[in-house]
Amino acid sequence: MHQGFETKRVIIGPEGFKKVVDITVPKRINLPTGYIDSTSLAQIPPGGSFVANDVEYYVFPCDTFDYVMHYLKRHTQIVYPKDGAYILMRLDINPGKRVGEAGTGSGAFALYLSMAVGPEGKVYTYEQREEFYKKAEKNIKSFSKFDNVVMHNKSILDGIEERDLDAFFLDIREPQEAIPEIRKALKPAGHLGILVPTTNQVAETLKALEEHRFYVSEVVEILTRQYKSVPERLRPDDRMIGHTAYMIFGRKIGE
């Protein structure tokens, strides 16, 4: 089991301030009203707090959401938590499952999958670009609780090594080109989830899924709106993320 996740803390302060810190790295941590050093931070119990120039800050163990959104180093756009949680449900990901993924990108969704399948499951992830592969490997090892991710530095168009996978998640530029290889890798009735940013990609992918005998269960986009958590003036935030991606879900038909 990896221990990296245990060394991360999230500091929460006034006016939405949030910072994720690795307490094993000696450093001075700058705050809106002062600073704290990582050695002192490590002594604060989970759920505790400290004061810097009369302002209270809270300290919590870093969870997956805060790690992905506020610490993970990224080369590429990540799968946002609002989409990731829905994908996990739609692909029926649970402990013990064997799941494939391409491309790895910065490793955010591989990390979600690793947590979801648990120590008895496996995640097989493919990333063609070496610089992305190396960054994702570092990100995953930095926070994953389990040694259950197998990484491949290759394109899935050159072949998927695994067979009889329970599910596969696809996030590449031309997903329609990968459908034949994914069909070979999935078990009968296996789940497939595909993420694309544009509607023309959705159309091309749907054609490929029909050609290669996949049942398409849903095409969906998820929007979220956050609210200012101030009881006296509760209202939506001024800004929201209007679009992240379209998601296509299906299942393999027959052998």
Side-chain angles (χ1 to χ4, degrees):
M1 179 179 287
H2 293 149
Q3 300 300 315
F5 72 97
E6 296 181 347
T7 70
K8 309 296 188 300
R9 298 289 185 273
V10 58
I11 303 172
I12 298 175
E15 298 182 1
F17 174 81
K18 182 178 287 188
K19 179 176 285 190
V20 176
V21 177
D22 188 334
I23 58 175
T24 65
V25 180
K27 63 183 295 187
R28 169 174 160 158
I29 303 158
N30 292 321
L31 306 167
T33 63
Y35 69 91
I36 186 173
D37 62 78
S38 54
T39 302
S40 299
L41 183 65
Q43 304 305 311
I44 299 173
S49 66
F50 65 93
V51 174
N53 290 324
D54 299 323
V55 175
E56 186 176 21
Y57 293 82
Y58 308 109
V59 180
F60 298 102
C62 182
D63 59 22
T64 307
F65 179 92
D66 284 327
Y67 176 78
V68 168
M69 298 302 293
H70 300 285
Y71 189 88
L72 181 140
K73 306 302 186 293
R74 62 185 75 171
H75 281 299
T76 60
Q77 180 65 274
I78 64 168
V79 176
Y80 274 76
K82 72 177 180 65
D83 299 326
Y86 190 78
I87 294 167
L88 292 178
M89 178 69 75
R90 255 329 204 140
L91 298 186
D92 196 34
I93 306 300
N94 49 60
K97 291 292 183 73
R98 297 174 63 249
V99 185
E101 180 202 31
T104 313
S106 298
F109 196 68
L111 185 61
Y112 299 162
L113 290 170
S114 171
M115 300 291 193
V117 303
E120 302 303 320
K122 281 289 185 183
V123 178
Y124 306 94
T125 185
Y126 288 75
E127 175 54 58
Q128 182 176 7
R129 296 183 60 171
E130 185 176 5
E131 66 269 32
F132 292 178
Y133 172 88
K134 289 180 177 179
K135 178 64 70 175
E137 183 178 40
K138 183 176 180 180
N139 284 336
I140 293 168
K141 288 183 177 179
S142 177
F143 198 75
S144 178
K145 297 182 180 181
F146 312 115
D147 294 308
N148 60 358
V149 179
V150 177
M151 300 187 67
H152 298 288
N153 186 195
K154 64 179 286 191
S155 168
I156 63 167
L157 300 183
D158 296 326
I160 299 172
E161 299 178 19
E162 295 77 28
R163 291 293 183 266
D164 293 319
L165 296 176
D166 295 295
F168 204 99
F169 173 69
L170 186 61
D171 182 9
I172 63 175
R173 183 169 296 178
E174 302 290 344
Q176 70 274 12
E177 297 180 359
I179 301 303
E181 288 299 326
I182 293 174
R183 180 172 177 82
K184 295 175 188 176
L186 280 174
K187 70 180 185 181
H191 289 79
L192 172 60
I194 303 169
L195 184 146
V196 293
T198 67
T199 54
N200 58 300
Q201 288 173 300
V202 173
E204 291 299 319
T205 303
L206 289 175
K207 293 175 186 176
L209 290 170
E210 181 180 358
E211 178 183 353
H212 296 285
R213 289 190 53 76
F214 277 86
Y215 163 71
V216 176
S217 55
E218 185 178 37
V219 178
V220 65
E221 176 186 17
I222 297 174
L223 303 177
T224 60
R225 185 169 69 169
Q226 294 183 318
Y227 281 70
K228 297 179 182 297
S229 55
V230 180
E232 293 78 13
R233 53 183 189 278
L234 180 65
R235 64 183 180 85
D237 279 347
D238 300 319
R239 298 180 180 181
M240 66 177 287
I241 297 171
H243 171 71
T244 52
Y246 303 105
M247 291 169 285
I248 307 165
F249 297 100
R251 301 188 73 170
K252 177 180 173 179
I253 300 170
E255 290 294 337

